[in-house]
Amino acid sequence: MSTVSPPAKPEPVVAPWARPFWDAAAKGQLALQQCEDCSKFIFYPRVACPHCASERIAWRTASGRGTVYSYTVVENNAPSAFIADMPFVVAVIRLEEGVQMLSNIVGCDPDKLRCDMEVVVTFERLNDNFVLPKFRPASNS
Amino acid sequence: MSRTRGKTAIVGIGEIPTGRYPERPAISFALDAARMAIEDAGIGKDEIDFVMPTGALFSGQFNTELVTCRVVEELGLKNVVGNCQVFSGGSSSTNGLRMASALIETGRAEAVLFVHTDKLGTGVSSQGGIDLFSTAGISAEWETPYGQHYSTVAALTTTRYKYETGATDEHLSAVCVSNRKWAELNPNAFFRKPLTLEEVMASKMLSTPLRAKHSNMLLDGGAAFIVTSAERARDLTDTPAYVLGEGGAVTHFAFHQEPDLTRFGWAKAAQQAFGEAGLTPADIDVAEIYDSYPIYQLIAFEELGLCGRGEAGEIFLRGDTWPGGRLPTTTDGGMLSKGHIGAGGSVSLLVEAARQLMGKAGERQAPNARFAVETAVGGTYMDAQVTILGTEIPS
């Protein structure tokens, strides 16, 4: 057995214009950009609206509610920094605001996962620098 | 739409067997494949006037050698006006052919050598390969921190596709079995022992519902092809593989941004390609479908119009795609059985499409192969690409 400790979890490599997202996450809020011209929500954060190219973009606090577009339970062959976490769930979440994001689903028996199930945001501290938005089932029903 | 139909052709192909070659330098795969392609085309090396090495992922240092003309110097090519890397990951084959054709059609080049080499089998460790593909083409801000890697990418599509279509694990596994039947006939393939559905479905679970034998294996290899004008092609050979049509649809960078995880841009790309070629899916005699994971072969097969939505699994299961079947598919064994050599996964498929049309596929030759479709896609299935080749130019 190797005595080498596993590599540290990769931190998000933050684009300067996305900093408000991570600052909000550190406070337990899910922040999304919204275009002030076409009103569409934007994720991930952009320098200009990807729909209408407007530069008039505001930050909003999202509802944190969404559904599972798809999911997978990682049981083997994870990247080095995630081997100790197996099994863990990677999912694409469709937020109520109409955008999609990748995240982990936590606090759920993997056998109970299904597409289109309702989830809500929760926050997990990655390290001293980052808090990651994750998702959990909306209810136990 | 027939602006480029039949204006250029692939006239020479080369390929080394996919494998594990710890003792061989990566440049040797490129040089061997390029020399085979030049010989196959029947042209002098100094007729090559443009070289397109695609990217190698195993080493950034080595890749800069490809960028800075090492292939030209090693082969002693004396009349090359440009050596320029064309690299879009797994779709490099189609983009390379597209760029080569454009140079030829506009008179900027007469004979283009496209060449691929990579050493992902022995140039990186097994875990190193997993780690590489948790960063290469994966968003470092929005996905890598959540443990995203290529198995999860494929698994996320598979989960949703099964949910929407009712496809089963047998359907997915049937792709692996079909491709293996072709690999058994391909001396350049790495996995050549017969494979059963039961073996696939009993293999280790990676990311649900994706199992180990649903996954490609990273290996060493290289391939090359030569593109020239249709006029020059007819001087060189009786069996040019004409470029009849192509289409593409870039749909995302970060995987989670993809609006339709079970379709991607294939239908749009196929419509362009078939439209330009003046052909329909029913005209296709051989299909070389990109298969880094079985789900992508099923989806592309359906979205190309080779069958209806949700029907591909049954078609692979009942053998229509096998040797002797109605529509020979991924006849080199694909990345699932021939092996995954990075950008070369689709280069192999394009070379195989040309090989089938040239009548050089030996034991696995598809009968009366006049029209072939090849698909390619890079990154996390970001840019559906469709190419149609033929032995003749439809009137």
Side-chain angles (χ1 to χ4, degrees), chain B residues 58-299:
Chain B
F58 88 100
S59 160
Q61 162 78 30
F62 174 71
N63 193 49
T64 60
E65 296 181 7
L66 296 173
V67 168
T68 52
C69 306
R70 183 169 176 188
V71 170
V72 178
E73 182 170 277
E74 293 270 6
L75 292 176
L77 308 181
K78 302 302 183 200
N79 293 311
V80 173
V81 300
N83 175 96
C84 187
Q85 185 155 83
V86 174
F87 188 30
S88 56
S91 62
S92 299
S93 60
T94 304
N95 276 320
L97 183 61
R98 176 179 284 149
M99 298 294 177
S101 292
L103 290 173
I104 291 161
E105 287 158 24
T106 53
R108 296 293 178 191
E110 176 62 21
V112 179
L113 167 65
F114 181 96
V115 61
H116 169 263
T117 175
D118 214 329
K119 200 170 174 177
L120 291 167
T122 62
V124 292
S125 67
S126 175
Q127 184 64 43
I130 294 170
D131 291 346
L132 171 65
F133 286 103
S134 70
T135 54
I138 305 285
S139 169
E141 182 161 11
W142 307 108
E143 296 199 348
T144 299
Y146 291 103
Q148 179 86 310
H149 57 290
Y150 278 68
S151 291
T152 52
V153 165
L156 287 165
T157 283
T158 307
T159 298
R160 186 73 196 187
Y161 177 86
K162 288 179 69 180
Y163 177 73
E164 291 191 12
T165 67
T168 65
D169 290 333
E170 283 82 357
H171 291 140
L172 290 161
S173 304
V175 173
C176 308
V177 170
S178 178
N179 293 6
R180 180 62 60 88
K181 287 180 185 292
W182 288 105
E184 288 174 38
L185 306 176
N186 183 3
N188 284 352
F190 187 74
F191 295 103
R192 300 191 62 195
K193 287 196 306 191
L195 181 69
T196 65
L197 272 183
E198 292 70 26
E199 285 174 275
V200 177
M201 292 194 292
S203 63
K204 181 173 74 173
M205 188 66 84
L206 300 184
S207 291
T208 60
L210 190 82
R211 294 177 180 275
K213 288 194 188 303
H214 293 138
S215 184
N216 61 77
M217 180 175 279
L218 295 171
L219 291 163
D220 306 336
F225 58 85
I226 289 169
V227 189
T228 191
S229 64
E231 295 74 30
R232 182 78 179 108
R234 284 188 278 271
D235 292 341
L236 288 167
T237 174
D238 294 331
T239 59
Y242 294 106
V243 181
L244 300 181
E246 60 183 28
V250 175
T251 54
H252 68 258
F253 155 63
F255 181 73
H256 70 267
Q257 293 281 307
E258 171 62 46
D260 194 335
L261 290 182
T262 68
R263 290 186 176 87
F264 304 94
W266 292 111
K268 185 176 173 184
Q271 190 177 16
Q272 291 169 6
F274 281 110
E276 184 178 345
L279 295 171
T280 70
D283 295 314
I284 294 300
D285 301 304
V286 58
E288 303 297 349
I289 307 294
Y290 192 90
D291 69 323
S292 53
Y293 296 90
I295 186 62
Y296 298 107
Q297 198 163 328
L298 294 177
I299 289 174

Side-chain angles (χ1 to χ4, degrees), chain B residues 13-18 178-192 285-288 321-325 327-334 337-338 347-369:
Chain B
I13 54 174
E15 182 177 60
I16 69 155
T18 297
S178 178
N179 293 6
R180 180 62 60 88
K181 287 180 185 292
W182 288 105
E184 288 174 38
L185 306 176
N186 183 3
N188 284 352
F190 187 74
F191 295 103
R192 300 191 62 195
D285 301 304
V286 58
E288 303 297 349
T321 56
W322 300 0
L327 181 55
T329 298
T330 310
T331 59
D332 72 343
S337 274
K338 181 171 177 289
V347 179
S348 289
L349 286 172
L350 185 58
V351 162
E352 176 72 2
R355 186 187 282 124
Q356 288 283 354
L357 295 175
M358 292 169 167
K360 296 174 179 171
E363 266 194 285
R364 63 187 190 286
Q365 179 65 48
N368 307 313

Side-chain angles (χ1 to χ4, degrees), chain B residues 361-383:
Chain B
E363 266 194 285
R364 63 187 190 286
Q365 179 65 48
N368 307 313
R370 287 195 307 158
F371 301 117
V373 63
E374 182 249 4
T375 69
V377 59
T380 54
Y381 311 91
M382 65 189 184
D383 64 336

Side-chain angles (χ1 to χ4, degrees), chain B residues 27-73:
Chain B
I27 192 68
S28 72
F29 313 147
L31 301 178
D32 287 356
R35 290 170 64 227
M36 279 184 235
I38 291 168
E39 185 182 348
D40 188 48
I43 63 172
K45 73 175 174 65
D46 293 329
E47 290 183 70
I48 303 291
D49 56 0
F50 205 98
V51 176
M52 276 180 196
T54 190
L57 286 166
F58 88 100
S59 160
Q61 162 78 30
F62 174 71
N63 193 49
T64 60
E65 296 181 7
L66 296 173
V67 168
T68 52
C69 306
R70 183 169 176 188
V71 170
V72 178
E73 182 170 277

